[in-house]
Amino acid sequence: MIRKATAVWNGSGKEGKGHLTTDSTVLNQTQYSFNTRFEDGVGTNPEELIAAAHAGCFAMKLSFNLSGANFPPQELNVTSHITFEEGTLKRSHLVLNAKVDGISEEQFSELVKDAEKNCPISRALNMEISVEYTLN
């Protein structure tokens, strides 16, 4: 499987602007710029997209883990907080609110740890990854 996205940038780093498009067109010439990355402009930025990818990947991996252990989740609500300092991605902190019936805290914690380490985005990231969660 190969997935792709295209970035087009015009102009200088601070005054320029660009857009992102994915094959699925979920992003279709979606605007990004210095303001959307470092201030509060309208549009997206690379760090926000990494946060979305990490939250989504972790949620799906955990869902597979839970379902495989016969505890299919009712809901997994995951937020990734990406820390970007001094030009480097330093950390992804995942905050999970989970609704899963019948599972013990110990079983759940083990499946969360596995998803944290083994979702494909976690494996691709070269940064600290942590998870905090609330179960039911």
Side-chain angles (χ1 to χ4, degrees):
M1 171 174 47
I2 295 176
R3 300 285 187 226
K4 71 178 187 177
T6 302
V8 175
W9 187 264
N10 301 107
S12 69
K14 192 164 186 176
E15 289 80 26
K17 61 182 178 179
H19 60 83
L20 304 166
T21 301
T22 58
D23 277 351
S24 68
T25 68
V26 168
L27 298 179
N28 189 6
Q29 296 193 5
T30 302
Q31 188 269 339
Y32 77 114
S33 66
F34 179 89
N35 287 342
T36 64
R37 191 168 193 188
F38 300 106
E39 296 173 3
D40 289 325
V42 175
T44 192
N45 60 71
E47 294 74 28
E48 179 178 72
L49 295 172
I50 289 171
H54 198 201
C57 184
F58 172 82
M60 187 175 275
K61 175 64 175 162
L62 181 55
S63 178
F64 276 112
N65 288 355
L66 289 163
S67 296
N70 294 315
F71 297 103
Q74 291 176 4
E75 181 175 281
L76 302 174
N77 183 322
V78 183
T79 302
S80 170
H81 301 262
I82 294 288
T83 301
F84 181 59
E85 294 174 344
E86 301 169 0
T88 302
L89 296 174
K90 300 280 187 174
R91 181 174 196 223
S92 178
H93 180 67
L94 300 167
V95 178
L96 164 65
N97 289 303
K99 294 179 185 172
V100 184
D101 291 333
I103 193 166
S104 72
E105 183 79 25
E106 183 178 326
Q107 285 176 299
F108 186 75
S109 178
E110 288 302 314
L111 296 174
V112 166
K113 286 177 191 173
D114 180 78
E116 175 186 354
K117 291 178 185 168
N118 293 308
C119 89
I121 299 297
S122 288
R123 288 198 252 163
L125 295 174
N126 184 25
M127 70 174 87
E128 177 187 339
I129 297 171
S130 59
V131 178
E132 71 178 84
Y133 66 83
T134 304
L135 176 59
N136 298 324

